[in-house]
Amino acid sequence: MFLYPLASLIPRVFLSLSGEKGDRGDRGLQGKYGKTGSVGARGHMGPKGQKGSVGPPGDRCKNHYAAFSVGRKKPLHSSDYYQTVVFDTEFVNLYGHFNMFTGRFYCYVPGIYFFSLNVHTWNQKETYLHIMRNAEEVVILYAQVSDRSIMQSQSLMLELQEQDEVWVRLFKGERENAIFSDEFDTYITFSGYLVKHASEP
């Protein structure tokens, strides 16, 4: 008969006793960032914000205009020197760009202009004038000697720079010429207006 040792027959009891809670340890190092996730769904529209303050006033809209139309009621005969045709009747003179004392249009608004000159010829005399830009003869208005007097006209377009001057000149006396008019009617007119400002495309 086999006999077990007595010690092996005695049950063993293990007791586990908890000690006091220790202090909190130091925070560990930050781990690596994970992969970027997919874009989430769009959220709901938030509430309407408050009305903002009024902004500063904008620049004033700039309009570009230039126009004149003048007439002459007095005849003019040639002399020993060139004569500027001066006008005595003002139909339109926007912003006073045409000077009635000098007989010249002064360009304050650069761009392309249209000009028109109309005169009444004098029978038995030539009619010989130029439309001038500064000191340059640009176009001529001419009528030969005739037994009949007629209305004669000339027109053109000019590109003007600021401070350019446009005027009408009667040729000097080596060619006897004249333009007719009287105090009852206006036979001589000179007109011009801005077609396109220089800054426009």
Side-chain angles (χ1 to χ4, degrees), residues 6-71:
L6 182 60
S8 63
L9 298 177
I10 299 174
R12 296 180 180 178
V13 178
F14 295 94
L15 298 177
S16 177
L17 301 177
S18 298
E20 295 181 359
K21 185 176 182 180
D23 297 331
R24 184 173 182 176
D26 295 334
R27 184 174 182 177
L29 299 176
Q30 182 175 338
K32 295 181 179 180
Y33 289 103
K35 294 182 180 180
T36 303
S38 58
V39 178
R42 185 173 182 177
H44 298 291
M45 182 180 293
K48 186 176 181 180
Q50 295 180 351
K51 185 176 181 179
S53 58
V54 178
D59 295 332
R60 183 178 179 182
C61 181
K62 295 181 179 180
N63 295 319
H64 304 286
Y65 301 106
F68 73 92
S69 184
V70 293

Side-chain angles (χ1 to χ4, degrees), residues 3 8 34 36 41 44 47 54 129 141 143-144 153 165 190 194:
L3 297 176
S8 63
T36 303
H44 298 291
V54 178
L129 305 104
L141 188 156
Q144 293 180 330
S153 66
E165 302 174 13
F190 183 38
L194 177 67

